[in-house]
Amino acid sequence: LPKGRIRAYQRSGGMVLEVAVPAGEAGRDLVRLGVGDTVIAKEIASITQSLLRSLALCLAVSLSLSFALAFALVRPIHNLVQTTNRLAAGDLKARADVYSGDEIGQLASVFNQMAEGLEGYRREVQERETDRVSLIGKIVQAQEDERRNVARELHDQLGQSLSNTLLTVEAATKDLPQFTEMHDKVTTEIRDLIDEVRKLAWQVRPSILDDYGLDRALARYVE
C-alpha cells in the first residue's frame, strides 16, 4: 500500500485528525479520512469501560476462586479443631470429616483411628470396672451371708445351749440348799455368757438388718 500522511487541524467542532492515502493506479487520486477528537474520545471511553468491566469481572472471579479455595482449605482444619475440642471434653464418639485424600484428609483419618482406639480403651476399662464392682459385690454378699450364718449359730445354737444349761443347773440345785452360793455364782456366770453371746451375735450381724433394713439398723445403732 502507498504511504499516507496524517495531519491534525482545528475546526469549530473540535480537533480533527485526517489521514490522506494515495489511491489509483499512479497514485494520482487521494483518499482522505478525517475523525474528530470527540469520536476518538468516545471510542477510548467505550474501550476503557469495556476494560474496566472485564477487569471487574476478572477480579470477582479471582475473589470467588480465592474464597472457594480458602474455604476448601480452612473447612477441614476447622472441623478437625472442633472435633479435637469435643474429644478433649470427653466425647470419644467424635469423629472428624474426611473431605479429601490429601495430607489434611490423611490427618483426619489418623485422628479418627486414634479416637476409635481411645473409645475402645474406655469401653474396656468400663467393662473391667463393671466386672470389678460385680466381684466386690459378690464378695461383700458372701461375707454378709457368712456373718449372718455365724450370728445365727451364735444366737440360736450357742445361746440356746447356754439357756438349756442354765435351766439344767437351776433344776439340779433347786432342792440342794447347800449349793445355793455356788448355784447363784454359776447361774450368774451363765447369764453373763448368754448376754455376751447375744452382744457378739449382734455385732457380727444385727438381726434388725434382715428384719427392717439398713436405715432402721443405723437409727437403732445411733440410738
Side-chain angles (χ1 to χ4, degrees):
L1 293 177
K3 295 182 179 181
R5 61 181 185 273
I6 299 175
R7 69 189 184 97
Y9 53 90
Q10 190 72 28
R11 301 192 65 175
S12 60
M15 181 177 293
V16 177
L17 293 177
E18 183 183 85
V19 178
V21 179
E25 295 180 357
R28 289 190 290 263
D29 297 326
L30 189 64
V31 177
R32 299 172 60 188
L33 177 62
V35 180
D37 59 351
T38 304
V39 177
I40 296 175
K42 289 181 180 180
E43 292 297 328
I44 292 176
S46 177
I47 295 172
T48 302
Q49 291 178 359
S50 298
L51 290 176
L52 290 176
R53 284 193 293 268
S54 300
L55 181 61
L57 180 60
C58 292
L59 181 60
V61 173
S62 299
L63 291 176
S64 300
L65 292 176
S66 299
F67 281 120
L69 182 60
F71 181 76
L73 292 176
V74 172
R75 184 183 181 188
I77 298 176
H78 181 68
N79 177 262
L80 186 59
V81 171
Q82 286 184 331
T83 308
T84 303
N85 293 333
R86 289 173 56 192
L87 188 67
D91 183 10
L92 297 185
K93 294 186 178 297
R95 297 293 184 271
D97 296 330
V98 180
Y99 295 96
S100 61
D102 57 3
E103 288 79 1
I104 299 177
Q106 295 175 4
L107 180 61
S109 299
V110 173
F111 178 86
N112 291 337
Q113 294 176 4
M114 180 190 68
E116 291 176 0
L118 289 176
E119 185 180 10
Y121 175 74
R122 186 175 69 173
R123 189 184 306 110
E124 182 179 355
V125 170
Q126 290 176 345
E127 291 176 354
R128 290 182 179 179
E129 181 65 17
T130 301
D131 294 340
R132 186 182 70 85
V133 172
S134 177
L135 179 60
I136 292 176
K138 292 179 180 179
I139 293 175
V140 172
Q141 185 62 41
Q143 291 176 343
E144 289 299 314
D145 294 341
E146 184 64 23
R147 292 167 71 93
R148 185 186 300 108
N149 294 332
V150 171
R152 184 181 297 112
E153 291 178 0
L154 287 173
H155 184 273
D156 296 343
Q157 296 183 11
L158 183 57
Q160 188 65 33
S161 297
L162 290 174
S163 297
N164 293 335
T165 302
L166 178 62
L167 293 176
T168 301
V169 170
E170 289 180 345
T173 59
K174 180 178 180 181
D175 298 328
L176 300 174
Q178 65 272 23
F179 293 107
T180 301
E181 183 178 355
M182 183 62 67
H183 166 270
D184 294 340
K185 182 179 180 181
V186 171
T187 54
T188 300
E189 290 179 354
I190 293 176
R191 288 190 178 94
D192 291 341
L193 283 175
I194 292 173
D195 292 337
E196 289 297 327
V197 168
R198 290 176 177 174
K199 290 180 180 179
L200 182 60
W202 174 267
Q203 292 174 357
V204 171
R205 173 77 182 187
S207 59
I208 195 174
L209 279 175
D210 300 321
D211 297 336
Y212 299 101
L214 179 61
D215 293 342
R216 183 56 184 165
L218 290 176
R220 287 287 300 274
Y221 184 77
V222 171
E223 292 174 2

